[in-house]
Amino acid sequence: MERRDFIKTGLITTVAPTLLLANIETIKRARNPIVISTWKHGVKANEEAMKVLFSKGSALDAVEAGVKISEADPTIQSVGIGGRPDKDGHVTLDACIMDSQGNAGSVAYLQDIKHPVSVARKVMELTDHVMLVGQGAKSFAITHGFKEENLLTEESRKAWLKWKMKQGKKDELGPNDDHDTISLLAQDSVGNLSGACTTSGLAYKISGRVGDSPIIGAGLYVDNEIGAAGATGRGEEVIKTTGSFLVVELMRQGYTPQDACREALGRIIRRHGGNPGFQVAYIALRKDGEIGAAAIRKGFKYALSSENENKLHSVKGIIN
Ligand code: GLY
């Protein structure tokens, strides 16, 4: 849908009220579920989210179910169990979730709990707060039945020890290896949008560091009238530009999802003299089902599921 058509749809209130109601009903019935998420591990996450959507579940249930697949997979070293630890060897997790009503929940610096996204959802649904951090978030999780468990797998522990031995020398992790956060956006069969974002954050970060992923408007933003956006990559840069909120606001102004992602990245690129040495990528899902994805550097992939397809797509970097 072009900008003009999208704006035209937005101006549908000029139509007679009965016709408007009929149109909304038609649009609601016609929706095909759609899920988009970051990185290769998004494929399995999308599959799970689609199962929820195909059985007429909500976008909110779908995004939680989807990212929980990545959180539970010990081979994914950037999310949940098996995530790379901080410099002191502690796995600390950040996550958030946002629904179609503008409700949001978030946890940061959470330790020993495998599913931070579900704790974030509990914060959203059971409290009048948005964000819990550290020990407070953990106590809240345990109070609500979450099991305490060791999240540092042997593989991640060995990699961390190797990194410690090499400290000060060349970092073996490339720009695409150290922040493979999963952001997942979904639209359900009645057209509602939701999103979730979860990560173990920057590998070998300073103890206490929190990235963009649990920050509403940075790692994730959902506006059910316009669209949703999610981020991955160097969290500090996403926070400084309120990245996901920016992508959604650009879509509100009429940018296509693709151009909105590119413009949000352009602001980061310009701040770094045109050639940042790190990766940031955005995905976006507009209310009419059109998607966008863009990355600063090559190597970023996103998974897109709609109808019977679930495919991984490569993104050409803006600067290489
Ligand atoms: N984008 C994940 C992080 O920087 O922590």
Side-chain angles (χ1 to χ4, degrees), residues 65-117:
V67 300
K68 279 178 78 173
I69 296 294
S70 301
E71 287 180 342
D73 185 340
T75 66
I76 299 168
Q77 290 187 294
S78 50
V79 183
I81 189 162
R84 293 191 184 90
D86 66 14
K87 74 177 187 47
D88 299 327
H90 301 123
V91 180
T92 71
L93 305 178
D94 299 337
C96 74
I97 193 161
M98 204 168 172
D99 72 8
S100 58
Q101 306 301 306
N103 298 309
S106 154
V107 290
Y109 197 68
L110 176 64
Q111 296 184 51
D112 307 320
I113 305 287
K114 189 162 71 183
H115 288 301
V117 73

Side-chain angles (χ1 to χ4, degrees), residues 94 179 181 199 201-202 209-213 231-236:
D94 299 337
H179 302 68
T181 300
T199 190
L202 176 65
R209 181 261 188 195
V210 169
D212 60 312
S213 304
T232 182
R234 182 65 62 90
E236 285 71 9

Side-chain angles (χ1 to χ4, degrees), residues 201-259:
L202 176 65
Y204 318 134
K205 58 200 172 189
I206 294 174
S207 176
R209 181 261 188 195
V210 169
D212 60 312
S213 304
I215 312 283
I216 299 299
L220 178 76
Y221 195 69
V222 177
D223 181 327
N224 204 44
E225 280 182 5
I226 304 296
T232 182
R234 182 65 62 90
E236 285 71 9
E237 300 303 322
V238 177
I239 293 171
K240 283 185 272 188
T241 50
T242 330
S244 294
F245 180 74
L246 176 60
V247 172
V248 172
E249 286 306 301
L250 289 167
M251 288 196 285
R252 188 192 305 279
Q253 290 170 25
Y255 280 69
T256 64
Q258 186 65 24
D259 287 346

Side-chain angles (χ1 to χ4, degrees), residues 39 77-78 84 171-181 200-204 233 279 299:
W39 301 109
Q77 290 187 294
S78 50
R84 293 191 184 90
D171 189 349
E172 284 181 349
L173 294 173
N176 285 305
D177 302 325
D178 56 3
H179 302 68
D180 301 356
T181 300
S200 50
L202 176 65
Y204 318 134
Q279 177 68 291

Side-chain angles (χ1 to χ4, degrees), residues 4-251:
R4 208 181 26 199
D5 299 330
F6 185 59
I7 289 170
K8 222 190 289 169
T9 310
L11 294 178
I12 205 163
T13 44
T14 54
V15 178
T18 45
L19 187 56
L20 171 66
L21 274 177
N23 278 348
I24 288 171
E25 282 311 308
T26 311
I27 289 164
K28 280 186 174 176
R29 274 199 298 276
R31 283 285 177 217
N32 287 321
I34 181 164
V35 179
I36 182 170
S37 64
T38 51
W39 301 109
K40 188 174 156 210
H41 46 99
V43 173
K44 281 190 183 161
N46 283 11
E47 210 175 285
E48 193 66 20
M50 273 306 217
K51 276 187 210 160
V52 175
L53 296 177
F54 279 140
S55 53
K56 301 284 174 236
S58 68
L60 181 66
D61 286 341
V63 297
E64 182 188 9
V67 300
K68 279 178 78 173
I69 296 294
S70 301
E71 287 180 342
D73 185 340
T75 66
I76 299 168
Q77 290 187 294
S78 50
V79 183
I81 189 162
R84 293 191 184 90
D86 66 14
K87 74 177 187 47
D88 299 327
H90 301 123
V91 180
T92 71
L93 305 178
D94 299 337
C96 74
I97 193 161
M98 204 168 172
D99 72 8
S100 58
Q101 306 301 306
N103 298 309
S106 154
V107 290
Y109 197 68
L110 176 64
Q111 296 184 51
D112 307 320
I113 305 287
K114 189 162 71 183
H115 288 301
V117 73
S118 299
V119 186
R121 184 169 174 176
K122 289 263 185 270
V123 174
M124 175 174 87
E125 291 179 339
L126 303 180
T127 80
D128 59 355
H129 307 311
V130 170
M131 189 171 200
L132 295 180
V133 305
Q135 186 55 45
K138 182 172 164 179
S139 303
F140 173 83
I142 289 167
T143 304
H144 289 91
F146 289 83
K147 202 173 85 201
E148 196 172 351
E149 55 193 298
N150 175 27
L151 303 180
L152 185 64
T153 56
E154 197 45 29
E155 199 188 348
S156 284
R157 196 181 73 86
K158 279 186 187 152
W160 165 66
L161 288 172
K162 200 167 149 198
W163 170 83
K164 261 168 72 103
M165 302 271 288
K166 289 193 169 174
Q167 246 190 94
K169 298 187 191 148
K170 192 177 176 314
D171 189 349
E172 284 181 349
L173 294 173
N176 285 305
D177 302 325
D178 56 3
H179 302 68
D180 301 356
T181 300
I182 184 160
S183 282
L184 187 148
L185 314 172
Q187 185 169 45
D188 59 30
S189 55
V190 294
N192 284 330
L193 298 168
S194 291
C197 180
T198 176
T199 190
S200 50
L202 176 65
Y204 318 134
K205 58 200 172 189
I206 294 174
S207 176
R209 181 261 188 195
V210 169
D212 60 312
S213 304
I215 312 283
I216 299 299
L220 178 76
Y221 195 69
V222 177
D223 181 327
N224 204 44
E225 280 182 5
I226 304 296
T232 182
R234 182 65 62 90
E236 285 71 9
E237 300 303 322
V238 177
I239 293 171
K240 283 185 272 188
T241 50
T242 330
S244 294
F245 180 74
L246 176 60
V247 172
V248 172
E249 286 306 301
L250 289 167
M251 288 196 285

